């Protein structure tokens, strides 16, 4: 079993939809929980991070962590075609441990 | 501009021919690491370095070497590349292992034939 599980998708939605991306993890020692966005042929870029259980909002993005269930989510409101990318959840231990990434396609 | 610079961006080589992928950061970060990204497997850590002259193995270190002689540079060395090392490689840096603010390079696509 992988330490971090993430559905690879692809997830296809129409423009304006609310998108929900999720990861589960098995190691309760993870400290920070992050979401990275990766466009094709580019390196991952940090989108959001959180440390504790609960919600964190930044514009159209909301990151949610439930440590008791070992479950994290990223919600994207009013999705745009420019949001089309692969979204990677990641957690810190001695370095980053990544999920496999979910490919998101937002159609106009 | 704060960045991590990797070179080359693309490389095709033959089995057994030693190669080095360079990585340099201009943010004075202590921590640097190398990842490989493969379809269905995601990003996996190869090696990391907590500071100059301090390196350690990640999850998939076999067939790779690293060195950290200067704070800004962290080259990845493949002494005898094999086809199973064909992958997309990323270098990353941050202030510390528990830091959330990792900055990634643009990647090196390596093909070993």
């Amino acid at each position: 079993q992988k330490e971090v599980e993430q559905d690879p998708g692809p997830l296809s939605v129409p423009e304006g939809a609310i998108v929900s991306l999720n990861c589960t993890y098995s190691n309760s020692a993870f400290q920070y929980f992050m979401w990275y966005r990766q466009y094709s042929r580019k390196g991952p870029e940090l989108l959001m991070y959180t440390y504790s259980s609960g919600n964190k909002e930044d514009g159209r993005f909301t990151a949610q962590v439930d440590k008791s269930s070992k479950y994290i989510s990223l919600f994207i409101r009013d999705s745009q075609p420019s949001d089309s990318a692969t979204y990677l959840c990641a957690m810190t231990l001695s370095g980053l441990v990544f999920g496999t990434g979910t490919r998101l396609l937002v159609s106009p | 501009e704060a960045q991590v610079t990797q070179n080359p961006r693309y490389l095709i080589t033959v089995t057994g021919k030693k190669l080095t992928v360079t990585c340099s950061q201009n943010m004075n970060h202590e921590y640097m690491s190398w990842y490989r990204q493969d379809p269905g497997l995601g990003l996996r850590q190869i090696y990391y370095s907590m500071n100059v002259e301090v390196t350690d193995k990640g999850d998939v270190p076999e067939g790779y070497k690293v060195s950290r002689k200067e704070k800004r540079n962290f080259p990845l060395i493949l002494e005898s590349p094999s086809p199973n090392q064909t992958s997309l490689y990323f270098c990353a840096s941050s202030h510390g292992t528990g830091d959330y603010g990792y900055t990634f390079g643009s990647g090196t696509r390596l093909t070993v034939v």
Side-chain angles (χ1 to χ4, degrees):
Chain A
Q1 183 192 5
K2 291 181 182 177
E3 279 192 293
V4 181
E5 299 276 359
Q6 184 176 9
D7 188 326
L11 177 62
S12 295
V13 301
E15 183 176 356
I18 297 174
V19 175
S20 172
L21 303 165
N22 310 295
C23 288
T24 59
Y25 63 96
S26 56
N27 192 339
S28 57
F30 286 132
Q31 298 175 317
Y32 282 101
F33 302 88
M34 289 149 278
W35 287 94
Y36 282 81
R37 179 174 60 195
Q38 185 177 20
Y39 291 112
S40 182
R41 300 190 191 90
K42 299 283 189 181
E45 55 177 339
L46 181 66
L47 197 58
M48 293 193 72
Y49 71 92
T50 186
Y51 177 76
S52 57
S53 284
N55 293 353
K56 182 175 181 179
E57 193 172 313
D58 184 2
R60 296 185 295 113
F61 299 91
T62 300
Q64 188 176 77
V65 174
D66 182 347
K67 286 189 173 182
S68 62
S69 302
K70 297 190 179 69
Y71 189 87
I72 70 169
S73 299
L74 178 71
F75 298 96
I76 307 174
R77 291 182 297 281
D78 188 24
S79 56
Q80 302 295 310
S82 58
D83 294 328
S84 297
T86 296
Y87 290 81
L88 302 150
C89 63
M91 302 161 198
T92 58
L93 208 55
S94 58
L96 288 175
V97 179
F98 283 91
T100 52
T102 299
R103 188 165 169 233
L104 172 66
L105 302 169
V106 182
S107 54
Chain B
E1 179 189 354
Q3 59 185 1
V4 175
T5 303
Q6 288 179 234
N7 281 297
R9 288 294 308 277
Y10 301 93
L11 180 59
I12 301 174
T13 190
V14 296
T15 299
K17 186 176 181 181
K18 181 179 178 179
L19 66 92
T20 299
V21 183
T22 64
C23 174
S24 180
Q25 51 93 4
N26 62 1
M27 295 164 282
N28 201 36
H29 283 166
E30 285 79 26
Y31 180 88
M32 298 184 74
S33 60
W34 277 102
Y35 293 83
R36 61 178 288 174
Q37 187 173 33
D38 302 289
L41 298 175
L43 281 148
R44 295 177 292 166
Q45 190 179 52
I46 303 170
Y47 268 95
Y48 64 94
S49 169
M50 307 274 280
N51 214 323
V52 175
E53 302 292 3
V54 181
T55 64
D56 208 347
K57 296 177 182 179
D59 298 318
V60 288
E62 295 78 20
Y64 304 95
K65 282 178 58 177
V66 293
S67 69
R68 188 93 181 269
K69 292 183 170 53
E70 304 167 281
K71 197 172 187 179
R72 63 183 292 125
N73 296 323
F74 190 45
L76 180 69
I77 303 156
L78 285 73
E79 297 218 322
S80 184
S82 62
N84 65 13
Q85 292 177 297
T86 292
S87 186
L88 180 58
Y89 292 85
F90 289 101
C91 179
S93 74
S94 73
H95 283 296
T97 57
D99 188 12
Y100 51 82
Y102 284 65
T103 301
F104 282 80
S106 297
T108 295
R109 185 166 291 282
L110 171 66
T111 302
V112 183
V113 298

